[in-house]
Amino acid sequence: MKKHILIVEDDIHISNIIKMNLTLVGYETEQVYDGIDALDRIKRGRFDLILLDVMIPRMDGFELMERIRPMNIPVIFLTAKNAVFDKVNGLKLGAEDYMVKPFEAIELLARMETVLRRYGKEEAVFTFQDIDVYVDKREVTVRKEVVELTPKEYDLLLVLLKNKNIALSREQFIEKVWGGDFYGETRTVDMHIKSLRKKLNLQDQIKTIYKIGYRLED
């Protein structure tokens, strides 16, 4: 079942960018632009996570957080403020995380995933077409048949699935899969991508992005 995310952000451009990125990776989203409308929508609906800007009209994010805290819906604050006091205040009010704008979509998605898993709302299985990835067992199946992947191939596949429809550079793959202390060549990413394409029949789904890297597409 798709996760239902409420975006509370008064900057329409930023709200639309967030919505676009969340939709690309399979989240269902709703948008509201001030605190009063957000409170009304939260009371009437069911949300797995709220992305909440602090500086919104009619009722700011901190006051809204106080109102909805008994509902036990995880909240990530999104704000242009970067003062330590604001971060501490937001977390004390019960927010799960706090991100300062501008931020990268990849970072937001990663933090959302962490929060959803903490609340037991993130599935332990990733499914893509006829491929199932069982995270707890680190097992991959194609049409229910187990496919043996090396540890790095598995980690690379998970990064692709978590960032579906988002282009990642080879350097980003290196950082996420091999770690920041890796001193090899970026060609190792190409070799592992080639292997994944062959083992999982993903020649058409893992797209090469010229001079950048790769993207997994439906």
Side-chain angles (χ1 to χ4, degrees):
M1 183 180 296
K2 288 186 176 181
K3 302 298 181 285
H4 200 181
I5 313 299
L6 181 65
I7 304 168
V8 187
E9 165 64 67
D10 66 319
D11 187 313
I12 296 176
H13 177 67
I14 293 175
S15 179
N16 288 340
I17 289 175
I18 294 173
K19 177 182 177 65
M20 178 186 68
N21 282 288
L22 267 56
T23 301
L24 281 172
V25 296
Y27 289 109
E28 289 186 352
T29 62
E30 290 189 40
Q31 296 164 281
V32 291
Y33 306 100
D34 66 66
I36 297 297
D37 286 347
L39 181 59
D40 177 67
R41 188 65 195 88
I42 293 165
K43 288 179 177 178
R44 292 187 292 107
R46 174 193 169 278
F47 296 97
D48 296 291
L49 176 68
I50 300 170
L51 301 177
L52 177 58
D53 185 23
V54 171
M55 302 303 292
I56 49 177
R58 302 175 72 194
M59 178 191 297
D60 69 32
F62 291 147
E63 184 179 350
L64 178 60
M65 183 69 210
E66 290 182 325
R67 298 280 195 95
I68 66 175
R69 183 162 46 183
M71 300 179 187
N72 198 35
I73 305 171
V75 171
I76 297 178
F77 272 124
L78 309 177
T79 181
K81 288 192 171 185
N82 57 9
V84 173
F85 171 79
D86 294 313
K87 294 181 182 180
V88 172
N89 190 32
L91 296 173
K92 279 186 175 180
L93 287 171
E96 290 295 317
D97 207 343
Y98 191 111
M99 296 188 66
V100 177
K101 295 181 285 188
F103 47 80
E104 296 290 335
I106 293 173
E107 181 183 3
L108 174 61
L109 293 169
R111 294 200 188 194
M112 287 174 58
E113 179 187 318
T114 298
V115 171
L116 288 167
R117 185 181 297 115
R118 189 182 304 144
Y119 268 69
K121 297 180 178 180
E122 183 63 51
E123 300 294 338
V125 180
F126 285 91
T127 299
F128 179 80
Q129 298 182 0
D130 56 3
I131 300 170
D132 293 311
V133 179
Y134 299 90
V135 176
D136 294 339
K137 297 187 293 184
R138 290 181 66 89
E139 181 179 272
V140 178
T141 66
V142 177
R143 293 183 292 277
K144 307 305 179 183
E145 295 291 328
V146 175
V147 177
E148 296 295 335
L149 300 181
T150 68
K152 294 304 182 187
E153 288 170 352
Y154 172 86
D155 291 341
L156 183 59
L157 174 62
L158 211 55
V159 170
L160 286 165
L161 289 169
K162 290 178 178 180
N163 297 279
K164 187 174 62 175
N165 295 315
I166 296 176
L168 298 180
S169 67
R170 291 172 175 82
E171 290 75 17
Q172 287 174 308
F173 282 116
I174 289 290
E175 181 179 351
K176 292 176 179 295
V177 176
W178 283 268
D181 56 351
F182 178 78
Y183 293 104
E185 297 182 0
T186 56
R187 283 180 54 190
T188 191
V189 175
D190 302 329
M191 295 169 58
H192 282 76
I193 289 288
K194 180 179 179 180
S195 180
L196 279 181
R197 283 171 167 163
K198 182 177 180 180
K199 289 184 177 181
L200 302 177
N201 193 27
L202 291 174
Q203 288 86 352
D204 295 331
Q205 289 75 30
I206 301 179
K207 304 291 186 180
T208 300
I209 310 302
Y210 182 61
K211 290 188 177 181
I212 298 177
Y214 300 95
R215 177 176 64 230
L216 179 67
E217 295 183 357
D218 289 325

